[in-house]
Structures are given as C-alpha cells and as structure tokens.
Amino acid sequence: MDSIIFDLDGTIWDPIDTVLGAWNSILTREEMNELTREELAATMGMQMDEVGMTLFPALNKERREQLIHECWSLETSFLAKRGGALYENVENVLAELSQKYKLYIVSNCQDGYIEVFYEYHKLEKYFLDFENPGRTSLSKGENINLVIERNSLSKPVYVGDTEGDLKAAKFAGIPFIYAKYGFGYASEYDEAVESFDELLRVFKA
C-alpha cells in the first residue's frame, strides 16, 4: 500500500449544516419547501443529475440543473466563510498518515469545493492531488483512476462512506475502506472504521 485516496463529505468532514443554510436560503427565495438535514445528507456523494432527481423530481431537467448550480455556487461561498465540521482528530490523523502514505481526495462535488475545504481548514498541506466531476465531468471511479494514473500510484486504497464509494473503488480495482460513521451505507468492504482516527489502526496493521 503506497497511498490513500479519500472521499470528502461524510469521510473527512460534515458540511451539512453550512450547506443546508445556503440551499434553504435559495429555496425560500424561490418559494419552495426548505430541505431537512436528513434530505440533504441522503444526497451526499451523488452527482448533479442524481441530486436533482432526488430532491426536485417535479421540476424539469433544465430547471433542476439551474437550481442545483445556484445552490452549489452559494454553498461554496458559505463554506468559504464558515467551513464545515471536521470529524474528531482529522488533522492529527492526516499528519501521521502523510508521513508514510501519499494522500489524495476524490469527491463528487463541484469545481472549487475541495479548494474551499482546503483553505478554510488549512489542510491542503497533507494532500498531493485531488479530483472531482466539476472539473472533469467524469464519474468518481474514473476520477479515482485519473488520480492513480496522474500520480503513478501502484497500491492505493479508497476511503469512503457510501455504496457509491464502494462501486467507485471497485471500478478502479482498488480496496475499499468503509467509514461507518459517515452519511451512507456500504454493502461490502475490505475494512471498516467507526471513527476517523481508527484509520491509524488500519494503516498500522
């Protein structure tokens, strides 16, 4: 094992409260029903089309895409000012892992989202590269492969919290570590952790 590729939402941080404030401010303006934390959390890890269909099935495709773009744009602004909630001991764990492994992020998010995460929480120094569909228009599995190829990784693993993360890791042909404390569910995995700092146990084993 030479490297660790992380999902972001539900794996490294919980941005829901900040993101919910951004989305609901737009929905209120549009005289639409506000979302609950649970509704928004259920879309974590989805790409734009899936998010739109899940949250706004009554809208046509063009209107869904327009609304999602507006919400994503405002959430990036909100996160730049307020950040999200890092899981316990994230920086300490990243600092220790980065001494032995190369660290990366691949997330299903819009362009600029990971950069805001880096900037607010001052964590960019631990990661060597990142990718997302906002920049590439590729699936998560394809973006994982892109990071693997771009950085000449030979034995990476992927850490995530959803079935989609599992499928992406399988697509890339790499082991999957399931973050059980996150937002989703994974039907199978190579390892599972109950907290972020438990990754130290997995990677020391």
Side-chain angles (χ1 to χ4, degrees):
M1 190 185 311
D2 65 339
S3 51
I4 308 168
I5 306 174
F6 290 92
D7 172 50
L8 181 51
D9 297 339
T11 300
I12 297 176
W13 74 345
D14 176 350
I16 295 295
D17 291 337
T18 301
V19 171
L20 191 63
W23 283 54
N24 280 340
S25 67
I26 289 178
L27 295 179
T28 298
R29 183 197 70 195
E30 297 295 318
E31 299 183 343
M32 297 174 66
N33 291 332
E34 291 189 357
L35 297 171
T36 65
R37 177 183 169 87
E38 290 71 27
E39 287 171 327
L40 191 58
T43 68
M44 290 293 106
M46 295 182 182
Q47 290 190 302
M48 185 178 70
D49 288 348
E50 295 176 286
V51 174
M53 281 297 298
T54 300
L55 297 179
F56 312 115
L59 301 180
N60 63 47
K61 185 175 187 294
E62 182 179 357
R63 180 64 183 121
R64 283 198 304 267
E65 290 181 356
Q66 179 188 22
L67 186 60
I68 296 296
H69 277 300
E70 289 182 37
C71 289
W72 276 357
S73 177
L74 188 59
E75 80 174 39
T76 301
S77 175
F78 270 46
L79 286 166
K81 296 175 182 176
R82 307 175 188 179
L86 293 178
Y87 289 114
E88 189 172 0
N89 294 327
V90 159
E91 182 161 13
N92 291 337
V93 173
L94 291 175
E96 187 165 343
L97 290 176
S98 66
Q99 294 177 26
K100 185 176 180 181
Y101 302 99
K102 300 173 183 178
L103 307 184
Y104 305 89
I105 293 177
V106 172
S107 175
N108 271 348
C109 60
Q110 66 272 30
D111 193 20
Y113 186 90
I114 297 173
E115 294 92 323
V116 164
F117 161 76
Y118 281 160
E119 177 62 25
Y120 188 89
H121 293 288
K122 310 301 180 189
L123 296 174
E124 184 174 8
K125 60 189 173 185
Y126 300 112
F127 298 95
L128 299 176
D129 196 5
F130 69 90
E131 202 50 89
N132 61 72
R135 297 203 305 185
T136 67
S137 298
L138 299 175
S139 70
K140 181 172 279 189
E142 291 170 321
N143 280 326
I144 290 173
N145 276 337
L146 192 61
V147 166
I148 291 172
E149 293 165 8
R150 197 158 64 204
N151 295 278
S152 300
L153 307 182
S154 59
K155 293 182 179 179
V157 300
Y158 190 70
V159 183
D161 67 309
T162 68
E163 188 75 7
D165 293 331
L166 166 64
K167 291 177 180 178
K170 281 189 171 184
F171 179 91
I174 63 175
F176 175 64
I177 296 176
Y178 173 35
K180 296 180 74 173
Y181 55 85
F183 298 132
Y185 167 78
S187 58
E188 56 182 293
Y189 44 82
D190 295 280
E191 292 276 356
V193 292
E194 300 282 353
S195 63
F196 193 83
D197 54 10
E198 199 177 329
L199 288 170
L200 293 178
R201 171 190 61 79
V202 172
F203 289 107
K204 283 181 178 178

